[in-house]
PDB file of all heavy atoms in Angstrom:
ATOM      1  N   LYS A 422       8.286  22.461  -6.363  1.00  0.00           N
ATOM      2  CA  LYS A 422       9.745  22.496  -6.357  1.00  0.00           C
ATOM      3  C   LYS A 422      10.311  21.150  -5.894  1.00  0.00           C
ATOM      4  O   LYS A 422      11.280  20.621  -6.484  1.00  0.00           O
ATOM      5  CB  LYS A 422      10.246  23.607  -5.441  1.00  0.00           C
ATOM      6  CG  LYS A 422      11.758  23.799  -5.487  1.00  0.00           C
ATOM      7  CD  LYS A 422      12.227  24.782  -4.430  1.00  0.00           C
ATOM      8  CE  LYS A 422      11.666  26.174  -4.651  1.00  0.00           C
ATOM      9  NZ  LYS A 422      12.234  27.145  -3.657  1.00  0.00           N
ATOM     10  N   ILE A 423       9.710  20.587  -4.844  1.00  0.00           N
ATOM     11  CA  ILE A 423      10.151  19.261  -4.362  1.00  0.00           C
ATOM     12  C   ILE A 423       9.803  18.202  -5.394  1.00  0.00           C
ATOM     13  O   ILE A 423      10.612  17.321  -5.722  1.00  0.00           O
ATOM     14  CB  ILE A 423       9.474  18.939  -3.018  1.00  0.00           C
ATOM     15  CG1 ILE A 423       9.779  20.017  -1.973  1.00  0.00           C
ATOM     16  CG2 ILE A 423       9.927  17.573  -2.485  1.00  0.00           C
ATOM     17  CD1 ILE A 423       8.890  19.952  -0.747  1.00  0.00           C
ATOM     18  N   HIS A 424       8.583  18.263  -5.903  1.00  0.00           N
ATOM     19  CA  HIS A 424       8.048  17.304  -6.867  1.00  0.00           C
ATOM     20  C   HIS A 424       8.947  17.207  -8.105  1.00  0.00           C
ATOM     21  O   HIS A 424       9.228  16.118  -8.628  1.00  0.00           O
ATOM     22  CB  HIS A 424       6.641  17.750  -7.264  1.00  0.00           C
ATOM     23  CG  HIS A 424       6.006  17.007  -8.385  1.00  0.00           C
ATOM     24  ND1 HIS A 424       5.493  15.731  -8.255  1.00  0.00           N
ATOM     25  CD2 HIS A 424       5.758  17.383  -9.679  1.00  0.00           C
ATOM     26  CE1 HIS A 424       4.959  15.340  -9.413  1.00  0.00           C
ATOM     27  NE2 HIS A 424       5.102  16.334 -10.278  1.00  0.00           N
ATOM     28  N   GLN A 425       9.467  18.357  -8.592  1.00  0.00           N
ATOM     29  CA  GLN A 425      10.246  18.352  -9.830  1.00  0.00           C
ATOM     30  C   GLN A 425      11.600  17.677  -9.648  1.00  0.00           C
ATOM     31  O   GLN A 425      12.170  17.167 -10.615  1.00  0.00           O
ATOM     32  CB  GLN A 425      10.432  19.783 -10.351  1.00  0.00           C
ATOM     33  CG  GLN A 425      11.248  20.681  -9.487  1.00  0.00           C
ATOM     34  CD  GLN A 425      11.268  22.123  -9.978  1.00  0.00           C
ATOM     35  OE1 GLN A 425      12.130  22.886  -9.589  1.00  0.00           O
ATOM     36  NE2 GLN A 425      10.327  22.506 -10.824  1.00  0.00           N
ATOM     37  N   TYR A 426      12.080  17.633  -8.408  1.00  0.00           N
ATOM     38  CA  TYR A 426      13.366  16.968  -8.163  1.00  0.00           C
ATOM     39  C   TYR A 426      13.218  15.458  -7.915  1.00  0.00           C
ATOM     40  O   TYR A 426      14.101  14.678  -8.281  1.00  0.00           O
ATOM     41  CB  TYR A 426      14.078  17.599  -6.967  1.00  0.00           C
ATOM     42  CG  TYR A 426      14.720  18.924  -7.305  1.00  0.00           C
ATOM     43  CD1 TYR A 426      14.318  20.099  -6.661  1.00  0.00           C
ATOM     44  CD2 TYR A 426      15.735  19.014  -8.253  1.00  0.00           C
ATOM     45  CE1 TYR A 426      14.887  21.322  -6.963  1.00  0.00           C
ATOM     46  CE2 TYR A 426      16.318  20.234  -8.559  1.00  0.00           C
ATOM     47  CZ  TYR A 426      15.900  21.381  -7.911  1.00  0.00           C
ATOM     48  OH  TYR A 426      16.476  22.587  -8.226  1.00  0.00           O
ATOM     49  N   ILE A 427      12.117  15.041  -7.279  1.00  0.00           N
ATOM     50  CA  ILE A 427      11.992  13.627  -6.915  1.00  0.00           C
ATOM     51  C   ILE A 427      11.117  12.823  -7.857  1.00  0.00           C
ATOM     52  O   ILE A 427      11.263  11.603  -7.955  1.00  0.00           O
ATOM     53  CB  ILE A 427      11.469  13.459  -5.476  1.00  0.00           C
ATOM     54  CG1 ILE A 427      10.045  14.026  -5.329  1.00  0.00           C
ATOM     55  CG2 ILE A 427      12.403  14.108  -4.481  1.00  0.00           C
ATOM     56  CD1 ILE A 427       9.393  13.664  -4.014  1.00  0.00           C
ATOM     57  N   ILE A 428      10.200  13.447  -8.579  1.00  0.00           N
ATOM     58  CA  ILE A 428       9.266  12.743  -9.444  1.00  0.00           C
ATOM     59  C   ILE A 428       9.337  13.246 -10.887  1.00  0.00           C
ATOM     60  O   ILE A 428       9.269  12.485 -11.839  1.00  0.00           O
ATOM     61  CB  ILE A 428       7.816  12.886  -8.921  1.00  0.00           C
ATOM     62  CG1 ILE A 428       7.663  12.201  -7.572  1.00  0.00           C
ATOM     63  CG2 ILE A 428       6.826  12.303  -9.936  1.00  0.00           C
ATOM     64  CD1 ILE A 428       7.841  10.690  -7.584  1.00  0.00           C
ATOM     65  N   LEU A 429       9.455  14.536 -11.076  1.00  0.00           N
ATOM     66  CA  LEU A 429       9.409  15.235 -12.350  1.00  0.00           C
ATOM     67  C   LEU A 429       7.960  15.482 -12.776  1.00  0.00           C
ATOM     68  O   LEU A 429       7.525  16.611 -12.875  1.00  0.00           O
ATOM     69  CB  LEU A 429      10.173  14.502 -13.451  1.00  0.00           C
ATOM     70  CG  LEU A 429      10.276  15.228 -14.787  1.00  0.00           C
ATOM     71  CD1 LEU A 429      11.060  16.520 -14.619  1.00  0.00           C
ATOM     72  CD2 LEU A 429      10.888  14.363 -15.868  1.00  0.00           C
ATOM     73  N   CYS A 430       7.207  14.383 -13.016  1.00  0.00           N
ATOM     74  CA  CYS A 430       5.799  14.561 -13.371  1.00  0.00           C
ATOM     75  C   CYS A 430       5.079  13.232 -13.239  1.00  0.00           C
ATOM     76  O   CYS A 430       5.718  12.164 -13.245  1.00  0.00           O
ATOM     77  CB  CYS A 430       5.641  15.107 -14.802  1.00  0.00           C
ATOM     78  SG  CYS A 430       6.185  13.960 -16.088  1.00  0.00           S
ATOM     79  N   ALA A 431       3.771  13.299 -13.112  1.00  0.00           N
ATOM     80  CA  ALA A 431       2.955  12.078 -13.144  1.00  0.00           C
ATOM     81  C   ALA A 431       2.925  11.535 -14.564  1.00  0.00           C
ATOM     82  O   ALA A 431       3.102  12.284 -15.518  1.00  0.00           O
ATOM     83  CB  ALA A 431       1.541  12.399 -12.654  1.00  0.00           C
ATOM     84  N   PRO A 432       2.715  10.218 -14.745  1.00  0.00           N
ATOM     85  CA  PRO A 432       2.696   9.639 -16.093  1.00  0.00           C
ATOM     86  C   PRO A 432       1.652  10.325 -16.974  1.00  0.00           C
ATOM     87  O   PRO A 432       0.511  10.534 -16.558  1.00  0.00           O
ATOM     88  CB  PRO A 432       2.330   8.179 -15.843  1.00  0.00           C
ATOM     89  CG  PRO A 432       2.768   7.897 -14.441  1.00  0.00           C
ATOM     90  CD  PRO A 432       2.545   9.193 -13.700  1.00  0.00           C
ATOM     91  N   ILE A 433       2.047  10.647 -18.201  1.00  0.00           N
ATOM     92  CA  ILE A 433       1.172  11.362 -19.094  1.00  0.00           C
ATOM     93  C   ILE A 433      -0.092  10.566 -19.432  1.00  0.00           C
ATOM     94  O   ILE A 433      -1.195  11.108 -19.563  1.00  0.00           O
ATOM     95  CB  ILE A 433       1.924  11.770 -20.385  1.00  0.00           C
ATOM     96  CG1 ILE A 433       1.076  12.713 -21.235  1.00  0.00           C
ATOM     97  CG2 ILE A 433       2.379  10.545 -21.161  1.00  0.00           C
ATOM     98  CD1 ILE A 433       1.819  13.320 -22.429  1.00  0.00           C
ATOM     99  N   MET A 434       0.021   9.232 -19.534  1.00  0.00           N
ATOM    100  CA  MET A 434      -1.147   8.392 -19.854  1.00  0.00           C
ATOM    101  C   MET A 434      -2.197   8.502 -18.748  1.00  0.00           C
ATOM    102  O   MET A 434      -3.395   8.587 -19.001  1.00  0.00           O
ATOM    103  CB  MET A 434      -0.755   6.931 -20.040  1.00  0.00           C
ATOM    104  CG  MET A 434       0.369   6.694 -21.017  1.00  0.00           C
ATOM    105  SD  MET A 434       1.986   6.963 -20.256  1.00  0.00           S
ATOM    106  CE  MET A 434       3.054   6.319 -21.560  1.00  0.00           C
ATOM    107  N   SER A 435      -1.717   8.483 -17.494  1.00  0.00           N
ATOM    108  CA  SER A 435      -2.621   8.617 -16.362  1.00  0.00           C
ATOM    109  C   SER A 435      -3.306   9.981 -16.361  1.00  0.00           C
ATOM    110  O   SER A 435      -4.491  10.091 -16.016  1.00  0.00           O
ATOM    111  CB  SER A 435      -1.854   8.416 -15.050  1.00  0.00           C
ATOM    112  OG  SER A 435      -1.343   7.111 -14.941  1.00  0.00           O
ATOM    113  N   GLN A 436      -2.564  11.004 -16.760  1.00  0.00           N
ATOM    114  CA  GLN A 436      -3.141  12.337 -16.763  1.00  0.00           C
ATOM    115  C   GLN A 436      -4.247  12.451 -17.816  1.00  0.00           C
ATOM    116  O   GLN A 436      -5.286  13.095 -17.579  1.00  0.00           O
ATOM    117  CB  GLN A 436      -2.056  13.380 -16.999  1.00  0.00           C
ATOM    118  CG  GLN A 436      -1.042  13.454 -15.845  1.00  0.00           C
ATOM    119  CD  GLN A 436      -0.121  14.661 -15.950  1.00  0.00           C
ATOM    120  OE1 GLN A 436      -0.592  15.798 -16.044  1.00  0.00           O
ATOM    121  NE2 GLN A 436       1.174  14.414 -15.954  1.00  0.00           N
ATOM    122  N   TYR A 437      -4.034  11.844 -18.985  1.00  0.00           N
ATOM    123  CA  TYR A 437      -5.109  11.865 -19.986  1.00  0.00           C
ATOM    124  C   TYR A 437      -6.321  11.061 -19.504  1.00  0.00           C
ATOM    125  O   TYR A 437      -7.467  11.400 -19.800  1.00  0.00           O
ATOM    126  CB  TYR A 437      -4.592  11.324 -21.318  1.00  0.00           C
ATOM    127  CG  TYR A 437      -3.904  12.392 -22.154  1.00  0.00           C
ATOM    128  CD1 TYR A 437      -2.544  12.336 -22.407  1.00  0.00           C
ATOM    129  CD2 TYR A 437      -4.635  13.477 -22.662  1.00  0.00           C
ATOM    130  CE1 TYR A 437      -1.911  13.317 -23.152  1.00  0.00           C
ATOM    131  CE2 TYR A 437      -3.991  14.470 -23.417  1.00  0.00           C
ATOM    132  CZ  TYR A 437      -2.645  14.394 -23.649  1.00  0.00           C
ATOM    133  OH  TYR A 437      -2.028  15.376 -24.374  1.00  0.00           O
ATOM    134  N   ALA A 438      -6.065   9.988 -18.755  1.00  0.00           N
ATOM    135  CA  ALA A 438      -7.161   9.191 -18.195  1.00  0.00           C
ATOM    136  C   ALA A 438      -7.933  10.048 -17.179  1.00  0.00           C
ATOM    137  O   ALA A 438      -9.155  10.008 -17.119  1.00  0.00           O
ATOM    138  CB  ALA A 438      -6.621   7.943 -17.509  1.00  0.00           C
ATOM    139  N   GLY A 439      -7.215  10.818 -16.359  1.00  0.00           N
ATOM    140  CA  GLY A 439      -7.876  11.696 -15.405  1.00  0.00           C
ATOM    141  C   GLY A 439      -8.719  12.764 -16.072  1.00  0.00           C
ATOM    142  O   GLY A 439      -9.821  13.083 -15.623  1.00  0.00           O
ATOM    143  N   LEU A 440      -8.212  13.299 -17.179  1.00  0.00           N
ATOM    144  CA  LEU A 440      -8.972  14.285 -17.951  1.00  0.00           C
ATOM    145  C   LEU A 440     -10.278  13.687 -18.460  1.00  0.00           C
ATOM    146  O   LEU A 440     -11.338  14.308 -18.411  1.00  0.00           O
ATOM    147  CB  LEU A 440      -8.117  14.788 -19.119  1.00  0.00           C
ATOM    148  CG  LEU A 440      -8.673  15.937 -19.954  1.00  0.00           C
ATOM    149  CD1 LEU A 440      -8.956  17.163 -19.104  1.00  0.00           C
ATOM    150  CD2 LEU A 440      -7.692  16.279 -21.090  1.00  0.00           C
TER     151      LEU A 440
END
Side-chain angles (χ1 to χ4, degrees):
K422 186 188 297 184
I423 304 166
H424 171 76
Q425 65 186 199
Y426 283 118
I427 64 169
I428 295 294
L429 185 64
C430 66
I433 189 172
M434 307 82 170
S435 296
Q436 294 190 56
Y437 276 113
L440 186 58

